Every structure is written in structure tokens, then in C-alpha cells.
Amino acid sequence: MRKNPPKKFKKTKHKIAQDSGASVTPTQKAILDTLKYRQIFDCPMLYHQIWSYLISSKPVSEKDFKTSLNDLVEDKKVLCKDAWYSLNKVDYERVEKRKKHAEKLIVQANGVVKYLKHLPWLEMMAVTGSVAAFNADEQSDIDLLIVTKPQRLFLSRLFVVLILKLLGVYWYSQKPAGTICPNILLTSDNLAWDEKNRNIYVANEISLLYPLFSHHNCYFDFLKHNAWVTHYLTNLHIPDYKSQPPAKSDFLGKLTDLIELAVMKIQMLYMKNKKTTEIVSKNLVHFNTHDSASVILNKFEMR
């Protein structure tokens, strides 16, 4: 698969390196960038996490990585406590509390998914955001990315929303804590992320996906179609495998196509006057009312 060249990172000065008056190597800069990014979310990192999610467009040897990290700790540019690495002091009780709350929300999501995964048009359902990163607070909701079969997105969304509402867990803006928000839906023939929206933020979100179920290797197919993330996260492993061919459409399938078209038109008409920054098309629905990507990327560049 042809990979698009990575977007160049903006050159930013690291306060921690600047204050010390010392220069850093490319590998040290990658480590600092990685910790700096997670610092936005108040997340310290373990050794294997820094290695796995290292923000770098070029390969780094593990020997160089280990030496560079140790040097940064010795130079007091990186803090290390109980195997956790960070750029500043961290409230570890808070970190553990958020981790446990995220685990609780994932258990809750699995309890709901057992009803959803039997819908015939769903290919994959995965948790995203703070819950997938095991960094959820008491006000966190459960964001879901859902992949459907081609030409079944709006039928799938209709039934997913109905089931979530019947179970009393559908997202509610006035009281979002613990609710489920299916905010990204895409079809299995449209898995590659839009090129103009590819960045460090999206790469990290994809790398942290927590699959709740996946049919026909859909999760791995999603990663394969988004292998561009390795231009930002050089150590991320994308499994190599053969995609399963889609099932052929029959008469019943063609009839369902017509129902899908009608349901799509009704939902689009309903959304028309309420639409702000949301993306709605026949093979993608992305409710991004609050543009987290821009906020996070701005914070990352400013640090």
C-alpha cells in the first residue's frame, strides 16, 4: 500500500530543554515530544508506552532509545518515579483513580455492546478518547467508533441509537457522565482517514483504540488502511494480513439498500438545521461539535 509522506512537524522549543541550556539529540527530542504530548492530558508514561507511542517520523533503535531516556533522567530533563516517566510532578493517586474509572466504563460498554454486536450490519465497535487511554474522570462519557457494512451506515445508526436510548445510556449533553456517544460511524469501504485531517492527535487516537468487537478482521483492516499513523508514531506495529472479501448483494440486500437510502435522507434532513462542524455523508458521520484536535494540537505546539 502506498503511504503518503508525513507532514512536517513544526519546530518547537521544549521548555524543559531550553531551561537546562543543553541541546538534545533527535531521539531525546522524540522522547520529550512524546511526554510533552501526554502531559497535555496529565498522563505519565511507562517505558514500554513511550517506546510504543514514540512521536517520531524516523526509525529509532531500542538501544538508542534506552540510552537517550536514561540520559534525560540523569540530566533531570525527565522525571522518573516508580517506573513512571513525566516532564513534571504528577498526582499518581489521580492517575490510578482515572485508570480504574476508565476500566469501569469499559466494563459498562461491554455490557451494552452484547446487545449491539448482533445487529447484522455492524463490523466493528471500539472505544476512543479518554476511556480508551485509561484516563477518564468522573464526568467522562464513552465515545464509540463504529464501522458498518457498505450502504448500511444510517440503518445501523438508527438501531444503535434506539437500543442505547431503550437501555437508558445514550449520550445526553446535560448529563454526559457514563453515557455512550456513538460519535464516529464509517463504512468498511471508507476506512482510511481523510488526508487533510491526518495529524499527531488523530494518529494517537487511532493507536489507542480499544476494540469491543470486530467481525471479519475489521479492526486490523482499519489499522491497515490507516498505516499513515506510523509516519507520526514510528514504532507502532500494523499487522499484515489478507482482508476478507465483502459478501455479494442479493435481492434482500438490494431492498435494504432502498431502505438505507430513505433512512439516510430522513436523518440528513433532521440534522440539516442542527449541523455545525459535524461531518455527514453517505459513508461517514463524525459528530465533532467540539474540535478537540485543534485544541490539543495548539497546546502541543505551545509547550
Side-chain angles (χ1 to χ4, degrees):
M1 181 176 67
R2 181 177 177 271
K3 295 183 180 180
N4 296 314
K7 296 179 181 178
K8 292 183 178 179
F9 298 136
K10 292 182 180 179
K11 292 183 179 179
T12 56
K13 292 183 178 180
H14 303 284
K15 291 181 180 179
I16 194 164
Q18 188 179 24
D19 292 343
S20 66
S23 60
V24 294
T25 67
T27 301
Q28 288 176 334
K29 181 181 183 301
I31 293 170
L32 291 171
D33 275 339
T34 306
L35 291 170
K36 182 177 72 167
Y37 183 83
R38 290 300 181 92
Q39 185 181 0
I40 297 171
F41 307 94
D42 296 323
C43 283
M45 302 182 76
L46 296 169
Y47 178 94
H48 73 89
Q49 292 175 329
I50 305 173
W51 169 255
S52 298
Y53 303 110
L54 188 69
I55 296 177
S56 174
S57 59
K58 296 180 180 180
V60 175
S61 71
E62 189 165 6
K63 181 180 179 181
D64 184 21
F65 171 81
K66 185 176 182 179
T67 301
S68 297
L69 181 57
N70 288 337
D71 288 345
L72 287 170
V73 173
E74 288 181 9
D75 293 340
K76 297 183 180 180
K77 295 175 183 177
V78 169
L79 303 179
C80 182
K81 181 180 179 181
D82 298 330
W84 289 98
Y85 296 87
S86 63
L87 295 182
N88 53 14
K89 291 184 179 180
V90 174
D91 183 348
Y92 290 98
E93 288 186 7
R94 182 170 173 268
V95 171
E96 184 62 24
K97 184 178 179 181
R98 285 189 165 207
K99 178 177 177 291
K100 288 183 178 180
H101 188 60
E103 291 171 346
K104 178 182 176 181
L105 292 177
I106 286 177
V107 170
Q108 179 182 326
N110 273 312
V112 172
V113 163
K114 68 182 180 182
Y115 298 104
L116 298 175
K117 67 181 181 181
H118 297 297
L119 289 174
W121 313 299
L122 297 188
E123 290 293 299
M124 182 183 84
M125 191 171 287
V127 176
T128 68
S130 62
V131 178
F134 291 92
N135 188 39
D137 60 29
E138 295 296 329
Q139 298 305 312
S140 295
D141 58 5
I142 305 169
D143 292 326
L144 293 183
L145 180 149
I146 299 173
V147 178
T148 76
K149 291 182 178 179
Q151 295 182 284
R152 296 294 180 269
L153 188 148
F154 287 90
L155 267 173
S156 298
R157 180 175 180 270
L158 173 64
F159 280 92
V160 166
V161 171
L162 285 175
I163 292 172
L164 292 178
K165 285 188 174 183
L166 285 172
L167 294 173
V169 294
Y170 184 66
W171 185 82
Y172 178 51
S173 60
Q174 301 301 316
K175 193 177 180 182
T179 59
I180 296 178
C181 179
N183 61 341
I184 303 177
L185 295 95
L186 61 161
T187 56
S188 59
D189 58 351
N190 182 47
L191 295 178
W193 210 264
D194 190 344
E195 287 188 32
K196 67 177 182 292
N197 293 323
R198 296 177 181 181
N199 51 55
I200 296 173
Y201 172 78
V202 176
N204 272 278
E205 291 296 299
I206 289 175
S207 71
L208 292 170
L209 278 179
Y210 188 97
L212 298 173
F213 75 85
S214 173
H215 298 317
H216 310 113
N217 292 324
C218 186
Y219 171 66
F220 296 112
D221 205 17
F222 180 79
L223 292 181
K224 183 178 178 180
H225 279 80
N226 290 285
W228 59 267
V229 300
T230 59
H231 293 311
Y232 295 99
L233 309 175
T234 189
N235 292 332
L236 194 68
H237 176 63
I238 305 294
D240 187 21
Y241 77 102
K242 292 183 179 180
S243 301
Q244 295 186 6
K248 294 182 179 179
S249 179
D250 53 14
F251 172 76
L252 184 60
K254 291 179 180 179
L255 179 61
T256 312
D257 289 346
L258 295 175
I259 299 173
E260 164 74 12
L261 182 61
V263 172
M264 179 183 72
K265 288 182 177 180
I266 292 171
Q267 290 190 37
M268 283 188 168
L269 185 63
Y270 175 77
M271 296 177 193
K272 186 176 180 180
N273 295 328
K274 299 183 178 183
K275 187 178 176 183
T276 54
T277 58
E278 295 85 355
I279 300 171
V280 181
S281 68
K282 67 178 182 179
N283 52 21
L284 171 66
V285 172
H286 187 181
F287 294 104
N288 57 341
T289 306
H290 304 291
D291 188 6
S292 299
S294 295
V295 174
I296 298 303
L297 290 173
N298 285 336
K299 287 183 178 180
F300 180 66
E301 296 299 341
M302 289 173 63
R303 286 176 181 264

